[in-house]
Amino acid sequence: MQRVNLTEDLSLSRIVHGMWRLADWKFSTEEILSLIEHGMDRGVTTYDHADIYGSYTCEEIFGNALLKPSLREKMEIVTKCGIVIQSENRPSHKSHHYNTNKTHIIKSVEQSLMNLKTDYIDLLLIHRPDPLMDPSETAEAFNQLKESGKVRNFGVSNFKKPQWDMLQAYLEYPLVTNQLELSAYNLENFEDGTINLCQEMGVAPMAWSPLAGGSIFEESNEKAVRLRKTLEIVKEEIGANGIDEVMYAWLLRHPAKIIPIVGSGKKERLDSAIDSLNLSMKKEQWFNILTSSMGHDIP
Ligand code: NAP
């Protein structure tokens, strides 16, 4: 499995396993353990979480499987904070909003550590840009978490350039990633320069919903039908087993060193993502997929 170095001390597996949907899978602890061991055997060592996933339950479900302690040391745990949602698991939350102040960030990390049954987070991300972010407070929280060893590295998610620059200006160390919605179906971050920000900063972006959250397989709108048709053609041309592999290969072909996050709990679908690392896509094929998603030719 290829790895991507984010810092001298932190590398992620090129394919990351996302845990957003973990509660929906309704797995037993043994089944989760079996899924983790399957991925780890194939080199998928990085797991993507957030405090809010599964209405604040996914980290704990995962953490219960980590009670087999030898596993934790071999993996990288990414988690996020900064979104507050209403949930029966958090009766004190009265509304949906963002919170990136010092107290909230520190409290959220401490809860994540408890849920995940670990004493450190490899990478903490601010989940979404907060219009009320006071970057000096966010930086203070990061510094305190770094000094205590509770969090080793920091990054962001869904940040555009001005938001990235503002937070980075208050930190004495670099933000190490920006986790973005990136797929052949959702081109926004390719079109608005956010992917170029990552390239400029030398930061590998993580790609959420690399298969457009599954909608590429189901949607009957014109764009999805058109894109599926092209993906099917390229699938035959490059010898892929499915259009999911072509979607991954399209991301992997980009020079920004995109790190796709797999959202399925099915071992064979995780395997498809891993297998896509062996595919090679020609520039012409990459552009055919791009223009088919855009719905018009390039100038
Ligand atoms: P995704 O891989 O684009 O979508 C996963 C969905 O696609 C699942 O419902 C899956 O169904 C379905 N699927 C996968 N392969 C399929 C196939 N061959 N045929 C039919 N359906 C298929 O990824 P995602 O779950 O939306 O996101 C991935 C990860 O990104 C999340 O787990 C989370 O860690 C992260 N994320 C981050 C943010 C953020 O704001 N930072 C936002 C969203 C997600 P099955 O389960 O049945 O396989």
Side-chain angles (χ1 to χ4, degrees):
M1 167 67 62
Q2 295 170 23
R3 298 192 63 82
V4 181
N5 294 325
L6 297 188
T7 68
E8 270 177 24
D9 303 320
L10 177 68
S11 71
L12 306 187
S13 50
R14 187 71 193 267
I15 302 292
V16 168
H17 205 171
M19 295 294 128
W20 174 31
R21 301 172 192 269
L22 174 59
D24 300 337
W25 301 335
K26 307 255 183 286
F27 286 167
S28 66
T29 302
E30 289 68 34
E31 286 169 323
I32 295 167
L33 195 54
S34 163
L35 180 65
I36 296 174
E37 286 177 333
H38 177 82
M40 302 262 296
D41 282 348
R42 296 213 56 194
V44 176
T45 59
T46 308
Y47 291 86
D48 185 68
H49 289 270
D51 54 349
I52 57 170
Y53 285 172
S55 201
Y56 297 97
T57 63
C58 290
E59 286 181 330
E60 190 174 12
I61 298 171
F62 187 87
N64 289 338
L66 282 194
L67 287 172
K68 191 174 168 189
S70 57
L71 271 180
R72 169 61 184 111
E73 293 138 34
K74 296 184 198 138
M75 64 170 60
E76 301 80 40
I77 294 183
V78 182
T79 196
K80 316 182 193 77
C81 64
I83 302 180
V84 177
I85 56 168
Q86 287 180 280
S87 160
E88 57 186 22
N89 301 312
R90 294 289 184 280
S92 65
H93 294 178
K94 302 294 179 221
S95 73
H96 180 199
H97 60 280
Y98 298 153
N99 192 344
T100 51
N101 72 22
K102 184 176 171 187
T103 318
H104 178 80
I105 293 173
I106 291 176
K107 208 170 139 201
S108 177
V109 166
E110 280 168 355
Q111 185 65 50
S112 292
L113 292 173
M114 216 150 58
N115 292 341
L116 290 159
K117 319 264 184 303
T118 183
D119 52 11
Y120 67 96
I121 303 292
D122 297 274
L123 174 55
L124 178 74
L125 309 180
I126 298 295
H127 207 149
R128 288 208 168 251
D130 171 5
L132 291 179
M133 174 185 276
D134 174 345
S136 62
E137 265 212 42
T138 307
E140 263 183 55
F142 282 10
N143 292 341
Q144 189 169 314
L145 290 165
K146 199 175 175 69
E147 275 158 29
S148 63
K150 290 177 180 168
V151 177
R152 297 185 174 175
N153 297 279
F154 300 89
V156 293
S157 180
N158 304 299
F159 273 42
K160 303 296 180 191
K161 183 170 167 52
Q163 298 144 352
W164 172 284
D165 288 347
M166 178 181 77
L167 180 57
Q168 185 59 80
Y170 283 78
L171 297 171
E172 283 159 16
Y173 36 84
L175 293 164
V176 304
T177 193
N178 192 0
Q179 189 177 118
L180 301 168
E181 182 172 25
L182 294 169
S183 74
Y185 191 72
N186 287 297
L187 299 175
E188 178 188 318
N189 287 302
F190 290 99
E191 291 174 334
D192 70 3
T194 308
I195 193 89
N196 310 107
L197 161 75
C198 298
Q199 290 178 277
E200 180 190 340
M201 304 315 295
V203 153
M206 300 175 77
W208 63 262
S209 292
L211 306 178
S215 58
I216 188 63
F217 306 101
E218 297 157 6
E219 288 285 341
S220 52
N221 64 54
E222 209 182 304
K223 174 179 171 180
V225 172
R226 187 176 61 233
L227 179 58
R228 258 200 310 272
K229 202 168 144 202
T230 308
L231 292 168
E232 286 290 349
I233 294 169
V234 176
K235 179 191 98 173
E236 295 304 321
E237 290 172 352
I238 67 176
N241 292 309
I243 61 167
D244 53 346
E245 292 186 13
V246 184
M247 296 275 283
Y248 290 122
W250 190 82
L251 290 174
L252 294 165
R253 176 69 177 76
H254 194 280
K257 288 213 184 83
I258 295 170
I259 304 168
I261 313 175
V262 174
S264 175
K266 300 192 169 86
K267 288 176 186 166
E268 64 277 15
R269 291 186 174 167
L270 183 59
D271 286 341
S272 295
I274 299 166
D275 293 345
S276 70
L277 288 164
N278 297 321
L279 295 170
S280 91
M281 185 177 285
K282 292 198 184 104
K283 212 178 263 282
E284 292 81 350
Q285 292 160 331
W286 195 91
F287 273 92
N288 287 344
I289 292 170
L290 176 75
T291 52
S292 145
S293 178
M294 293 192 310
H296 55 81
D297 198 3
I298 44 171

